[in-house]
Amino acid sequence: MELKKIFPDLYEENLRNVIEQEGTVVHLEQGEMLMDIGGFIKFVPLVLEGSLKIMREDKDGHELLLYYVKAGETCAMSLTCCMGDAQSNVRAVAEEPTTLIAIPVRYMDLWTNQYQSWKSFVMHTYQKRFEELLETIDGIAFQKLDDRLEKVLKSRVDMAGSNHLVVTHQELASELNSSREVISRILKQMEKRGMVKLGRNKLDVLF
Amino acid sequence: MELKKIFPDLYEENLRNVIEQEGTVVHLEQGEMLMDIGGFIKFVPLVLEGSLKIMREDKDGHELLLYYVKAGETCAMSLTCCMGDAQSNVRAVAEEPTTLIAIPVRYMDLWTNQYQSWKSFVMHTYQKRFEELLETIDGIAFQKLDDRLEKVLKSRVDMAGSNHLVVTHQELASELNSSREVISRILKQMEKRGMVKLGRNKLDVLF
DNA sequence: CGAGTAGTGTGACTGAGGTTACATCAATGC
DNA sequence: GCATTGATGTAACCTCAGTCACACTACTCG
């Protein structure tokens, strides 16, 4: 398996062996939900390919994008499950066709004791997600919607590795906890300024 | 020292001994800043008494309350410093006269290997702060200002252990990244509905 | 006691963004 | 081709909250 290439920080060979031994490879179609809010976390996902979208939802069904989990990463929320309540407070959806290794949570605590590289991987994950949550907070609290939309577009371009995005206004609106009309309005303004080129179900980012 | 009483989860006696040996007791006056954004983290604070206010600031100087660190707790941000960059991305200010033990960061990694209870304390801290950040995000993204203000008042009542709060409208406005006039306006409405009683530099919470 | 100062009250205005209500418009299937 | 459906464009309107301007009020300190 290409575990070594995708997760170079897990440098202990023994660790990689147990991961392959105890983990289950799972494949998700685009849009498939891996975990819903309130669901019980029974495993930790190590993403091999594709990406997961982690989001939060309020009582009225409004969504908000928290961050993406890409290849070589894992979800910080699921790491906390080894202690106390194992219920998820976020939703995880495959943003594209995605392959991951599911590790039963019972190994979490054990491995952090046994494998230095696993411990440091977990710690780094916490730190990274923490910073991302802080950025998300900055975005909502301090930035205006157009800036936030730009940021989402940029990050999608990065992930897709292409300026050509296949996405609807509605999807963008959901990620930003806004409404479709508002996003259409802002995108139109951006098009007038030459920042994007709009199409049906797609748009080209030009900045 | 009352370490055992305040941090009952650190059940290993050896651990408590090293903490007392290697840590330095620090006292902060109300309003004193422990750590500023961009500052270098050289120690982890274990709060013995009082509380720290952890906040974020944008480039224009607007502040936003993230969470409080109370007695028996520590700051998650400072835990991440043992790996990679040691610069703080938040500000920590004493909310009231506060006593804490400052642990040099070099012990962090060592202790998580050596003391099971320290490791689990660190993990629990991460989990707790994660949840609080998510709540903060919910607040900003989904709730209106009056709800958020109510929440802040409630949490201050809890901390003070009294319905009588000594605080100015300006302080509340800063915590919520809002403006004084708006908070005054909302407080006045709340007074009309009998939820609070207003005074100069103080207010009584009646809900 | 009078001046200065920090905190508070209030009204008018503004702008961002959410909502409503339609009008198109492009793909798809029949 | 034509109907259906989902995606997009747009205008009118409304609400919340930020800003400005200024009055007022309770302390403090010389």
Side-chain angles (χ1 to χ4, degrees):
Chain A
M1 213 186 295
E2 345 73 70
L3 207 53
K4 194 172 175 177
K5 229 189 308 172
I6 302 177
F7 291 87
D9 289 344
L10 302 178
Y11 54 78
E12 285 150 308
E13 202 181 332
N14 285 343
L15 171 61
R16 289 201 305 271
N17 289 339
V18 242
I19 290 178
E20 298 196 8
Q21 199 178 314
E22 305 296 345
T24 314
V25 173
V26 176
H27 187 80
L28 295 174
E29 296 305 317
Q30 176 167 18
E32 206 172 330
M33 193 183 300
L34 176 65
M35 170 59 60
D36 202 357
I37 293 164
F40 287 91
I41 303 175
K42 295 190 163 49
F43 52 83
V44 171
L46 297 182
V47 176
L48 294 174
E49 206 184 350
S51 56
L52 300 174
K53 185 157 79 172
I54 307 297
M55 41 204 197
R56 188 87 166 149
E57 194 186 61
D58 79 348
K59 54 186 186 322
D60 302 326
H62 298 124
E63 291 187 330
L64 178 69
L65 170 70
L66 293 179
Y67 53 78
Y68 293 104
V69 180
K70 302 175 202 167
E73 301 179 344
T74 190
C75 176
M77 302 314 302
S78 58
L79 294 174
T80 66
C81 56
C82 46
M83 52 203 61
D85 76 303
Q87 271 184 288
S88 175
N89 35 28
V90 298
R91 172 176 299 154
V93 175
E95 173 73 7
E96 44 191 325
T98 298
T99 314
L100 55 87
I101 305 185
I103 315 274
V105 297
R106 64 176 173 282
Y107 297 111
M108 292 304 96
D109 202 45
L110 189 65
W111 290 359
T112 48
N113 288 330
Q114 239 165 348
Y115 302 102
Q116 197 58 36
S117 75
W118 178 257
K119 193 185 106 175
S120 120
F121 176 67
V122 168
M123 291 306 226
H124 269 106
T125 298
Y126 268 120
Q127 185 181 13
K128 181 152 186 283
R129 295 311 171 203
F130 235 97
E131 279 167 19
E132 282 176 324
L133 281 193
L134 286 183
E135 272 182 45
T136 304
I137 289 181
D138 283 352
I140 314 173
F142 301 134
Q143 286 176 19
K144 287 200 292 183
L145 202 49
D146 19 15
D147 291 333
R148 294 173 57 209
L149 178 57
E150 270 189 46
K151 225 167 137 186
V152 166
L153 292 179
K154 255 180 212 153
S155 111
R156 274 182 175 261
V157 165
D158 281 352
M159 276 211 308
S162 150
N163 281 2
H164 188 76
L165 301 181
V166 177
V167 65
T168 68
H169 299 182
Q170 181 58 60
E171 287 179 74
L172 295 170
S174 294
E175 292 194 358
L176 292 162
N177 181 39
S178 176
S179 64
R180 203 267 310 158
E181 294 86 335
V182 175
I183 298 299
S184 291
R185 191 195 286 161
I186 297 177
L187 282 174
K188 210 67 199 165
Q189 289 167 359
M190 290 173 74
E191 191 176 41
K192 275 178 194 153
R193 283 189 284 152
M195 300 174 67
V196 292
K197 192 166 172 307
L198 301 179
R200 185 190 176 79
N201 279 319
K202 67 186 181 194
L203 92 197
D204 292 289
V205 176
L206 308 172
F207 58 92
Chain B
M1 216 187 292
E2 344 73 70
L3 207 53
K4 194 171 177 178
K5 231 189 307 173
I6 302 176
F7 290 87
D9 290 344
L10 302 179
Y11 54 78
E12 287 150 307
E13 200 182 333
N14 285 344
L15 171 61
R16 289 202 304 273
N17 290 339
V18 243
I19 290 179
E20 299 196 6
Q21 198 178 316
E22 306 296 343
T24 313
V25 174
V26 175
H27 187 79
L28 295 174
E29 295 307 317
Q30 176 166 17
E32 205 173 330
M33 192 184 300
L34 176 64
M35 171 59 60
D36 201 356
I37 294 165
F40 286 92
I41 303 175
K42 295 191 164 47
F43 52 83
V44 171
L46 298 182
V47 176
L48 294 175
E49 206 185 351
S51 56
L52 300 173
K53 186 158 77 170
I54 307 296
M55 40 202 198
R56 188 87 165 150
E57 192 186 62
D58 80 346
K59 55 186 185 321
D60 303 326
H62 298 123
E63 290 187 331
L64 178 68
L65 171 70
L66 293 180
Y67 52 79
Y68 292 103
V69 180
K70 301 174 203 167
E73 301 179 344
T74 189
C75 176
M77 303 313 303
S78 58
L79 295 173
T80 65
C81 58
C82 48
M83 52 203 59
D85 76 302
Q87 274 184 287
S88 174
N89 35 27
V90 297
R91 172 176 300 154
V93 176
E95 173 73 6
E96 43 190 327
T98 298
T99 313
L100 55 87
I101 305 185
I103 315 274
V105 297
R106 64 174 174 280
Y107 296 113
M108 291 306 96
D109 201 47
L110 188 65
W111 290 359
T112 47
N113 287 330
Q114 239 165 349
Y115 303 103
Q116 196 60 35
S117 74
W118 178 258
K119 192 185 107 175
S120 123
F121 176 67
V122 168
M123 292 307 226
H124 269 106
T125 298
Y126 268 121
Q127 185 182 12
K128 180 149 187 283
R129 295 313 171 200
F130 236 97
E131 279 167 18
E132 283 176 324
L133 280 193
L134 285 183
E135 272 181 44
T136 303
I137 288 181
D138 283 353
I140 314 174
F142 301 133
Q143 286 177 20
K144 287 198 294 182
L145 202 48
D146 21 15
D147 292 332
R148 295 173 57 208
L149 179 56
E150 268 189 47
K151 225 167 140 188
V152 166
L153 291 179
K154 255 180 210 151
S155 113
R156 274 182 175 262
V157 165
D158 281 351
M159 277 211 307
S162 151
N163 280 1
H164 188 75
L165 300 181
V166 177
V167 64
T168 68
H169 299 182
Q170 182 57 60
E171 287 178 74
L172 296 170
S174 294
E175 291 194 0
L176 292 162
N177 181 37
S178 176
S179 64
R180 202 267 313 159
E181 293 89 326
V182 175
I183 298 301
S184 290
R185 192 195 286 159
I186 297 177
L187 282 174
K188 209 68 201 165
Q189 288 168 2
M190 290 174 74
E191 191 175 42
K192 274 179 195 152
R193 283 188 284 153
M195 300 173 67
V196 293
K197 190 164 174 308
L198 300 179
R200 184 191 176 79
N201 279 320
K202 67 187 182 196
L203 89 196
D204 291 288
V205 177
L206 309 172
F207 60 93

